[in-house]
Amino acid sequence: MPPSLLTTAARSRFLRRDEPTENLRIQWTNPANILDLLLLVGGDVIQTALAQLTGDRLPTPMVFSFGWVAYAFMAMASAVGDDRLLRLTDLPSVVINGKSGSIRSNESWILGRILRDFESGYWMDNKVKKKLYDVLTEEGKPKVGLCVSFFEAKGLTASKDRYSKNSTLGPNDKVEAGEPAIEPTRDLLWWAGYAVAAFQLLIAAIPCIVWNEWQALVITICGTAMAFFTASLPEWRRERWAARRLDREKTLILTRGNGAQHALVVFGRVGSLDLEDLASSTEAKTVPPTTKAFFSIMVILWVSLLVTVDGLGVHSWFLIAVGGTGMLYTAIVAGSARRPENFGINLTPLEDCPVIFENKVMLTLFAVEKAFPGVGHSMLSQFFTGDPSPTEAAFWKKAKELVDMMYPPGVSSVVEAEAQRLTQELIDDMSKMHPPLIGFPSQGTTLSSEGTGLET
């Protein structure tokens, strides 16, 4: 007997009521359509993690994770538009020349992270921590002040291995811009990348082993290979250490600026990297055409991988586990604190005077100037913008006179000769253009031997 219209309508209503539950069950059983969205988020995390780990001579262990598709577009736009791959610092800071007092804004990711991780106490010397505790817990005294820590950046000594941690190059040895002063030390965070990549491949291999479904494994292998290739480009090394080596000693101060509690005074020795140069170097401002072409190809490959993932019909949870593991590791790398040697810069606390800290900025600057003539005066304009009292002004006047006696101002003979040559060319050119000008030197007039007058 055919079912009645009433029975058919009731069954139809029951099936429609069960459809949302069935759809949810299917989605949570195999959430394939969410994977392509996950690959498009988190590009900035990938960019930060690359800034943390890249630059090593060994293949850099950047793992396959969510966000690589978005990062590929970001990297291509940065390489073509900004002519750089390495992101700028995320910590506003300045570098002060300890002799001239000139201030340069810091753009270096390395210097910004070194300062951030020092302020967090991660690699702060125990003597500095003790001094901070003693001053800040002193009864009846302000809980503020300026803490100045002193470090020595040693150069490299002669060795067959120019990248050896204990080796240096002499000041006359030719070194290409961008080569690091020392090989960055590989910490647990760096080595963990290889372990995470192996664990991801193990997860992706489960469907292949159990159900003979190889799609997840192939996608993971391709994603891991592209991540490793991208992180191991030589361009990273060139941009990270785009600075010259010092051919003479140089004192620099790294700090957040006025209002900051910490300042790092670095005495750069011969053969070490010029940190002032590193702060805003123009040595590596042009990305080679081959690197731009590489990222153009990477964009195509990552989009192809995205399309492949979108068509994955089964075992999507395994790829989500692979990408989630990689994203977790990448986020940890992006935010983790590291030591200066992990960034290729060897800073050793000064044994004789590791720290000076007073609860008033001017008192700290006085003490720094007495310990290291010229250094405190170079910091004065940055940390004390008001008008000094007559007593303070008299101190700084005498301190400046003492520094001028110890280090007479002047320019190098090479710079002076070049200035004389350019001035002479200007005189000759202007004489040809305006010979009748009264009071202007005629053609053939030359600079005096002292460079202070004119002679014919």
Side-chain angles (χ1 to χ4, degrees), residues 50-51 53-57 60 78-80 82-87 108-110 163 175-184 230-245 273-274 277-292 295 343:
L50 285 167
L53 291 185
T54 52
D56 203 284
R57 288 187 295 167
T60 301
S78 180
V80 174
D82 300 331
D83 258 341
R84 66 182 306 127
L85 292 181
L86 189 67
R87 65 168 297 175
S108 170
W109 172 268
I110 291 176
Y163 293 100
V175 180
E176 295 297 331
E179 289 192 20
I182 60 173
E183 185 73 6
T230 302
S232 302
L233 287 174
E235 176 65 18
W236 295 110
R237 191 178 186 88
R238 191 174 73 93
E239 288 192 19
R240 282 174 80 85
W241 297 288
R244 296 163 292 185
R245 284 196 176 94
L273 282 180
D274 187 346
D277 207 18
L278 185 64
S280 55
S281 176
T282 58
E283 296 284 345
K285 291 294 185 182
T286 303
V287 177
T290 53
T291 304
K292 296 178 181 179
F295 276 99
F343 292 108

Side-chain angles (χ1 to χ4, degrees), residues 193-225:
Y194 285 105
V196 172
F199 182 68
Q200 287 179 303
L201 292 174
L202 182 62
I203 294 175
I206 293 176
C208 185
I209 297 172
V210 178
W211 298 287
N212 198 28
E213 298 285 349
W214 47 265
Q215 296 94 325
L217 180 60
V218 171
I219 290 173
T220 304
I221 291 175
C222 292
T224 302

Side-chain angles (χ1 to χ4, degrees), residues 149-326:
S149 305
F150 300 88
F151 299 90
E152 183 181 22
K154 295 182 179 180
L156 306 175
T157 49
S159 170
K160 291 182 179 180
D161 184 6
R162 68 193 303 160
Y163 293 100
S164 172
K165 215 165 43 167
N166 300 318
S167 71
T168 72
L169 298 167
N172 297 323
D173 292 337
K174 184 177 180 180
V175 180
E176 295 297 331
E179 289 192 20
I182 60 173
E183 185 73 6
T185 303
R186 305 177 188 103
D187 55 0
L188 180 62
L189 190 70
W190 193 91
W191 287 110
Y194 285 105
V196 172
F199 182 68
Q200 287 179 303
L201 292 174
L202 182 62
I203 294 175
I206 293 176
C208 185
I209 297 172
V210 178
W211 298 287
N212 198 28
E213 298 285 349
W214 47 265
Q215 296 94 325
L217 180 60
V218 171
I219 290 173
T220 304
I221 291 175
C222 292
T224 302
M226 288 191 290
F228 268 61
F229 275 121
T230 302
S232 302
L233 287 174
E235 176 65 18
W236 295 110
R237 191 178 186 88
R238 191 174 73 93
E239 288 192 19
R240 282 174 80 85
W241 297 288
R244 296 163 292 185
R245 284 196 176 94
L246 295 176
D247 58 0
R248 65 186 69 182
E249 295 187 350
K250 189 175 187 178
T251 303
L252 298 168
I253 301 98
L254 176 63
T255 179
R256 286 180 186 249
N258 189 17
Q261 187 175 59
H262 290 278
L264 278 59
V265 177
V266 180
F267 298 98
R269 305 308 183 195
V270 174
S272 64
L273 282 180
D274 187 346
L275 301 187
E276 188 177 26
D277 207 18
L278 185 64
S280 55
S281 176
T282 58
E283 296 284 345
K285 291 294 185 182
T286 303
V287 177
T290 53
T291 304
K292 296 178 181 179
F294 172 83
F295 276 99
S296 300
I297 296 172
M298 282 292 106
V299 167
I300 297 174
L301 293 178
W302 280 113
V303 170
S304 301
L305 190 70
L306 177 65
V307 174
T308 305
V309 169
D310 188 50
L312 187 66
V314 291
H315 309 309
S316 299
W317 274 114
F318 291 97
L319 267 186
I320 291 178
V322 168
T325 302

